[in-house]
Amino acid sequence: MRLVVARCSVDYAGRLSAHLPLATRLLLLKSDGSVLVHSDSLSYKPLNWMSPPCALTIDEVDEERAAAGVSEIWRVTHAKTADLLVISIHEILHDSQHELGVDPGLQKDGVEADLQRLLADQIELLGEGHTLVRREYMTAIGPVDILARDAAGKSVAVEIKRRGDIDGVEQLTRYLELMNRDPLLAPVAGVFAAQEIKPQARVLAEDRGIRCLVLDYDAMRGLDDHLARLF
């Protein structure tokens, strides 16, 4: 990636035309060919950009532009649409290149797989005396996140969501209807577990005899700061 801090003006021509007057900006030239123009505001959003596939060429500066203070002209052309981004460089304040390597991508924390694993390890959160039978218990219509047994030995099916809504309750209802036809499992109780359960989902679940359980992800992974809750 090449990072350039420069005093520049920018013109864009394509489906829409846009102009950025002379100012100091950050220019990002990425290895995928994209070029982004940033200011020291607007958070992560660039003021203008050109997405790949595109090509960068540097044009010669004519006398008129040179007299106006332009030292370089960058012309970024999109290969498919012919959209054009023209960056008129007046002064380069910083220019560096960095090899970032292959990025592993965003790894989301607190997804349903994490919640499932933690609840399986801490099955007592379902209630005293509960034991784990297995994770991903397969049924004819898909896997139930957790199959457990309560203190009396009765089957408990647990559906886990990050945010519990009506669709999740409906999904668990279908699992319960099917599982309760199995004499080796019936009767099967249902638990709808999520970090956040919407009021409508809670009403529907309780109307169908399904217990709701709110999961504290930070506490489950040992990051709960009890001191912070005192203030």
Side-chain angles (χ1 to χ4, degrees), residues 42-210:
L42 299 180
S43 186
Y44 63 91
K45 292 184 177 180
L47 296 168
N48 216 324
W49 69 94
M50 185 70 77
S51 301
C54 57
L56 169 66
T57 58
I58 299 179
D59 292 352
E60 293 185 3
V61 179
D62 57 30
E63 293 183 1
E64 181 179 354
R65 292 184 179 180
V70 177
S71 59
E72 294 183 14
I73 297 177
W74 296 2
R75 185 181 297 267
V76 187
T77 307
H78 197 276
K80 294 182 178 180
T81 66
D83 285 9
L84 181 63
L85 184 71
V86 178
I87 304 174
S88 299
I89 305 290
H90 286 245
E91 180 184 8
I92 292 180
L93 306 174
H94 173 85
D95 190 347
S96 63
Q97 296 192 58
H98 306 272
E99 179 58 52
L100 302 185
V102 178
D103 191 277
L106 179 66
Q107 298 178 348
K108 295 184 178 180
D109 200 10
V111 296
E112 291 169 14
D114 295 325
L115 292 169
Q116 182 192 116
R117 173 180 54 80
L118 289 168
L119 185 56
D121 291 340
Q122 303 170 44
I123 201 67
E124 67 278 1
L125 292 176
L126 294 178
E128 185 177 355
H130 280 68
T131 56
L132 175 68
V133 176
R134 66 167 298 167
R135 296 169 54 186
E136 299 286 339
Y137 180 82
M138 186 58 65
T139 73
I141 57 174
V144 176
D145 288 327
I146 287 180
L147 177 63
R149 295 194 183 277
D150 64 15
K154 295 182 178 179
S155 301
V156 179
V158 185
E159 182 63 25
I160 300 172
K161 301 292 184 185
R162 290 186 66 232
R163 291 179 176 83
D165 56 20
I166 288 177
D167 288 344
V169 177
E170 294 286 4
Q171 182 180 359
L172 179 55
T173 299
R174 292 192 294 270
Y175 288 143
L176 290 172
E177 289 177 353
L178 186 63
M179 296 172 74
N180 273 302
R181 298 175 192 171
D182 186 342
L184 298 177
L185 294 176
V188 184
V191 175
F192 188 52
Q195 289 180 270
E196 174 188 350
I197 299 177
K198 294 183 178 179
Q200 300 91 332
R202 182 179 292 275
V203 170
L204 180 62
E206 292 175 351
D207 182 68
R208 295 181 176 180
I210 295 172

Side-chain angles (χ1 to χ4, degrees), residues 10-14 16-20 47-48:
V10 182
D11 292 280
Y12 189 93
L16 295 173
S17 297
H19 173 71
L20 294 171
L47 296 168
N48 216 324

